[in-house]
Amino acid sequence: MRFLAPLVTFLLPTVALAAVTGSSNTDKRATAGYVLKKGPLDTPWTEKVGTDPWPEYPRPQLQRSDWLNLNGVWQYQNATANETNSPPFGTDLKQSVLVPYCLESALSGVMGSRMIWSWYRTTFDVPSNWTRNNRVILNFGAVDYEATVFVNGRKAGFNRGGYWAFNIDITDFLHSQGKNELLVFVYDPTDMGNIQIPLGKQVLEPSHIFYTPCSGIWQTVWIESAPRNHVTQLDVSADMHGEVNVTVHITGNVSIPVEIVIHEANSPDSIKHTATGTTGAAFQFSVAKPDLWSPSSPTLYNITVKAGSDKVQSYTGFRTISRGVIDGVKRPLLNGEFVFLFGTLDQGYWPDGLYTPPSREAMIYDLKALKNVGYNMLRKHIKVETALFYQACDQLGLMVIQDMPSLRPSVPVSPPTPGCNVDSVPVGNVSAQNEFDRQLAILIEQHKSYPSIVTWIIYNEGWGQETKREYPEFRLTSMIRSLDPTRLVDSVTGWNDHGAGDFHDNHHYSSPQCGTPFYSIASTPYDPSRIAIQGEFGGIGHNLTIANMWNVQKSINQINNTYEIDADLTIWNRRAHSILGELQEQIELYACSGAVWTQTTDVEGEVNGMLSYDRRINRMDLDMWRSDIQGLYDAAAARSGNSTTKVPRAEGLAMGLMSGVE
């Protein structure tokens, strides 16, 4: 029987950033051809998306008041390799596409395959009430993988990397009156041939734990008005002692005065502290007696930044992430105390939008499902999310262990190497490694101000990890620490561990081996000089009816590759109880400091989620999971001298979740 979860509007804890409004202004001539496709599976939010998706201001840590959302129905057509030499200016394209959904998704209205080269087109007006002397900035949340941007017949900019925000000053390309034409040429090779790029789990031929790719524009597109000298990036870190470190980056590399206002947490219109500095250089100041951010009390403070004539809104949370020795064991510390890190492997895939959730409401549903049973963390698995995702984690009090999107596990050798049993190498060439390094730095720079992120991961299970020319994780760990000294680094999660970073990270299905005196093949013996974490475990599965599964025969055929399949939900929960009991024992007896259960939801050919892929079934016996997870925290508290802390459930969530019954 198919159950539909009630669609409840959830209220997050207040981080009352300045009210910002925007409206869609895409070319309505292009709307006639858009039709929502019938994909292999939908969600309760699919039919609610409409043609003005993701209307929220997309960059909560650097908000401006004058902006215009360009999401909606654009024109699209398939392309070939060299078409940037002859863009289709002034020409209607063949199809319609709903931005910002991957071209392979049902919500895009295209639902194509092998979308290697593509054209997007729309037109827009610049609002007449925007300040005449300001600049107009075109922003993209993310485009996978390369984007060449044209405005009114001229090339305006280029970006490489499928997970990163970028912007272009398009002022000099705009018409003084009337509509402006925007064309975007996208190249996304995914894993074509022997190409090696950061791509996570995307493959052109999906198979079991590798999924349908996401090509093209998959995060919000918007324009905004900003002064000629405007803030381009705002780096803020605030620690448990009230020490705040700020760098305000501005166009033109000019040095001008900056005013920072920290507002009271529970009274956003009241001022808690004001400080001054200059752009382009870090400056520090102290805030007296801040309320600290933690999973049990995710307090956030609004910030107003004024630099010259530019004014932006942001926020921060006061907390300190560190490592220390407690009773002879290396531990992760939050605000000076050992907090056991327990979360899920969060892959962030959706059957209707693939990389893009159908809506913010849908995205938050997943997070609240985790918070509701007591998870205090998630591991964002070889994918990077929208800025609104990290804001939601900040607001809810979910710590994030953030992966760098991996290179392919291997690439073909061309020509094949004589005498080699496996014709593949981890990293095809030095340029692939250099590009990985460049994009890893972008990950850190663009996300280092989110309070919820506590740890960076460089390599997952050796995927794309060089081991012959060098062990790059050592220098990359040093690079991360130079860019962001405020967090821990899990250099290698799984295997190919050579001793870098803050964690000794074991993967083992189904049972854990976390800081224990026993381990299995591909792992390494526990290293007491680092923090012990179970980077992946669990993975037990439970089959559903086709109504709640990815209805693709190849995926269905591969479900039996799941680490363990349990006959029904009673057995699934009983097995989870047993495995979580093993983990609790390893906390009590050994050196276990954190663990990552696989996983938040089912994905295509996998059926081992807390939730089904369509989010209509919640497998968890909620009372059992709450009790077992609290048991982990209690065991950790007993090893640390701390009083046990209960992580509060998300407000009002229980009404929006299914009980674990089919």
Side-chain angles (χ1 to χ4, degrees):
M1 182 175 180
R2 185 173 186 171
F3 292 88
L4 180 64
L7 299 183
V8 178
T9 300
F10 301 125
L11 296 178
L12 293 175
T14 300
V15 189
L17 298 175
V20 187
T21 58
S23 59
S24 178
N25 193 36
T26 50
D27 183 2
K28 297 306 179 184
R29 293 178 305 159
T31 61
Y34 172 73
V35 177
L36 171 67
K37 296 286 188 178
K38 175 68 175 176
L41 185 66
D42 66 2
T43 71
W45 301 273
T46 308
E47 298 284 348
K48 298 176 66 177
V49 168
T51 55
D52 290 306
W54 284 90
E56 300 85 2
Y57 189 87
R59 192 182 56 205
Q61 287 195 324
L62 205 167
Q63 291 203 44
R64 287 196 172 87
S65 57
D66 291 335
W67 74 289
L68 186 69
N69 195 327
L70 298 186
N71 290 346
V73 180
W74 293 28
Q75 296 175 349
Y76 159 82
Q77 71 185 27
N78 201 10
T80 56
N82 299 314
E83 291 190 21
T84 51
N85 298 323
S86 55
F89 298 132
T91 303
D92 283 336
L93 305 185
K94 295 179 180 178
Q95 293 180 247
S96 292
V97 60
L98 186 62
V99 171
Y101 297 103
C102 315
L103 291 171
E104 294 85 352
S105 72
L107 278 169
S108 74
V110 177
M111 207 167 73
S113 61
R114 302 190 72 87
M115 313 302 288
I116 311 298
W117 298 281
S118 306
W119 280 110
Y120 287 82
R121 178 180 182 269
T122 191
T123 62
F124 62 92
D125 295 316
V126 176
S128 58
N129 62 343
W130 284 7
T131 303
R132 184 177 297 276
N133 294 327
N134 272 12
R135 310 297 288 178
V136 176
I137 312 301
L138 172 65
N139 299 276
F140 292 85
V143 181
D144 198 353
Y145 173 71
E146 291 182 357
T148 306
V149 180
F150 300 85
V151 177
N152 292 329
R154 298 162 62 193
K155 182 178 176 180
F158 172 83
N159 185 74
R160 175 179 293 121
Y163 298 92
W164 321 122
F166 65 98
N167 59 71
I168 304 166
D169 184 336
I170 60 171
T171 311
D172 296 337
F173 301 93
L174 297 175
H175 294 320
S176 58
Q177 294 182 337
K179 288 191 177 294
N180 297 277
E181 181 186 49
L182 172 61
L183 279 170
V184 183
F185 181 79
V186 176
Y187 168 56
D188 182 21
T190 311
D191 62 339
M192 182 173 63
N194 62 359
I195 288 171
Q196 182 75 315
I197 61 175
L199 81 175
K201 287 201 167 186
Q202 304 178 72
V203 290
L204 292 173
E205 298 295 334
S207 177
H208 191 42
I209 65 168
F210 297 97
Y211 317 130
T212 303
C214 172
S215 300
I217 300 169
W218 67 278
Q219 291 188 28
T220 291
V221 185
W222 77 103
I223 58 173
E224 62 187 348
S225 176
R228 180 174 294 277
N229 290 324
H230 59 270
V231 177
T232 57
Q233 182 174 319
L234 181 64
D235 301 334
V236 180
S237 64
D239 71 15
M240 61 185 286
H241 305 293
E243 298 300 315
V244 182
N245 191 306
V246 176
T247 304
V248 179
H249 304 266
I250 198 166
T251 52
N253 295 319
V254 296
S255 180
I256 62 175
V258 172
E259 181 186 74
I260 303 283
V261 176
I262 308 288
H263 300 273
E264 292 284 1
N266 298 316
S267 181
D269 295 329
S270 300
I271 295 176
K272 184 173 181 64
H273 189 90
T274 300
T276 57
T278 56
T279 59
F283 60 95
Q284 296 77 37
F285 56 91
S286 297
V287 174
K289 298 180 180 179
D291 293 331
L292 301 187
W293 186 96
S294 71
S296 59
S297 182
T299 304
L300 298 172
Y301 288 84
N302 294 328
I303 298 175
T304 300
V305 179
K306 296 178 182 178
S309 58
D310 198 14
K311 179 180 177 181
V312 297
Q313 304 295 328
S314 189
Y315 69 90
T316 193
F318 289 82
R319 91 288 182 271
T320 297
I321 309 299
S322 60
R323 55 183 279 184
V325 177
I326 297 178
D327 195 23
V329 180
K330 287 288 176 67
R331 300 294 194 185
L333 306 180
L334 173 63
N335 300 328
E337 296 186 348
F338 169 37
V339 173
F340 188 80
L341 306 171
F342 190 57
T344 58
L345 195 73
D346 194 73
Q347 309 224 44
Y349 274 80
W350 296 80
D352 45 11
L354 299 179
Y355 257 23
T356 311
S359 64
R360 182 174 178 270
E361 178 189 22
M363 177 189 74
I364 291 172
Y365 186 87
D366 279 9
L367 301 178
K368 290 236 179 183
L370 301 181
K371 189 76 175 181
N372 186 46
V373 294
Y375 283 112
N376 65 9
M377 177 269 287
L378 59 85
R379 176 184 164 199
K380 179 44 61 178
H381 188 40
I382 51 179
K383 182 196 176 191
V384 180
E385 292 286 357
T386 67
L388 292 172
F389 176 91
Y390 299 102
Q391 181 197 34
C393 292
D394 293 339
Q395 293 171 324
L396 285 167
L398 275 170
M399 294 181 287
V400 177
I401 295 177
Q402 177 63 54
D403 289 18
M404 170 65 187
S406 63
L407 300 171
R408 297 164 66 176
S410 62
V411 296
V413 174
S414 182
T417 305
C420 183
N421 292 327
V422 180
D423 291 326
S424 62
V425 292
V427 180
N429 52 59
V430 173
S431 65
Q433 181 69 59
N434 291 342
E435 185 61 21
F436 179 87
D437 298 357
R438 183 187 75 86
Q439 294 192 34
L440 174 61
I442 295 173
L443 169 67
I444 308 305
E445 290 286 7
Q446 292 194 357
H447 297 84
K448 63 185 179 182
S449 294
Y450 294 108
S452 56
I453 297 178
V454 298
T455 296
W456 306 109
I457 288 179
I458 303 174
Y459 288 112
N460 174 72
E461 295 186 348
W463 295 4
Q465 180 184 353
E466 179 58 59
T467 57
K468 299 185 184 300
R469 292 187 294 264
E470 61 165 334
Y471 295 155
E473 63 269 23
F474 285 96
R475 62 175 177 78
L476 293 176
T477 298
S478 296
M479 179 192 77
I480 290 173
R481 286 175 172 156
S482 70
L483 296 174
D484 175 23
T486 70
R487 292 180 175 85
L488 303 178
V489 182
D490 189 349
S491 305
V492 173
T493 175
W495 40 85
N496 286 4
D497 182 5
H498 306 109
D502 296 300
F503 291 87
H504 178 264
D505 190 328
N506 176 288
H507 289 192
H508 190 253
Y509 292 97
S510 298
S511 57
Q513 299 176 339
C514 185
T516 61
F518 49 86
Y519 65 98
S520 298
I521 189 169
S523 296
T524 55
Y526 162 58
D527 174 6
S529 70
R530 294 179 291 160
I531 300 164
I533 189 171
Q534 188 68 41
E536 294 180 27
F537 81 119
I540 57 174
H542 159 248
N543 238 326
L544 297 166
T545 66
I546 197 63
N548 303 104
M549 294 169 59
W550 187 245
N551 192 2
V552 172
Q553 191 60 49
K554 182 179 179 181
S555 297
I556 294 169
N557 294 343
Q558 293 173 337
I559 283 172
N560 279 336
N561 292 333
T562 303
Y563 303 103
E564 171 183 307
I565 295 287
D566 299 324
D568 54 43
L569 279 176
T570 299
I571 298 300
W572 184 86
N573 279 286
R574 187 173 297 160
R575 285 287 295 134
H577 176 68
S578 175
I579 294 167
L580 292 172
E582 288 186 57
L583 181 65
Q584 180 173 329
E585 180 182 66
Q586 292 174 13
I587 298 169
E588 294 166 345
L589 298 179
Y590 306 123
C592 186
S593 293
V596 179
W597 181 277
T598 304
Q599 58 189 331
T600 304
T601 73
D602 297 350
V603 187
E604 297 197 5
E606 299 179 63
V607 290
N608 50 5
M610 307 286 98
L611 308 175
S612 59
Y613 196 19
D614 64 356
R615 278 69 171 178
R616 290 184 171 95
I617 299 294
N618 181 346
R619 290 188 174 93
M620 291 179 285
D621 177 325
L622 299 182
D623 289 339
M624 185 209 82
W625 278 83
R626 288 172 188 144
S627 176
D628 286 349
I629 290 174
Q630 187 61 46
L632 305 180
Y633 300 145
D634 292 344
R639 295 291 306 275
S640 66
N642 297 337
S643 59
T644 182
T645 300
K646 290 189 176 182
V647 178
R649 289 157 51 192
E651 288 287 327
L653 177 64
M655 293 299 293
L657 282 176
M658 292 301 306
S659 63
V661 178
E662 280 192 280

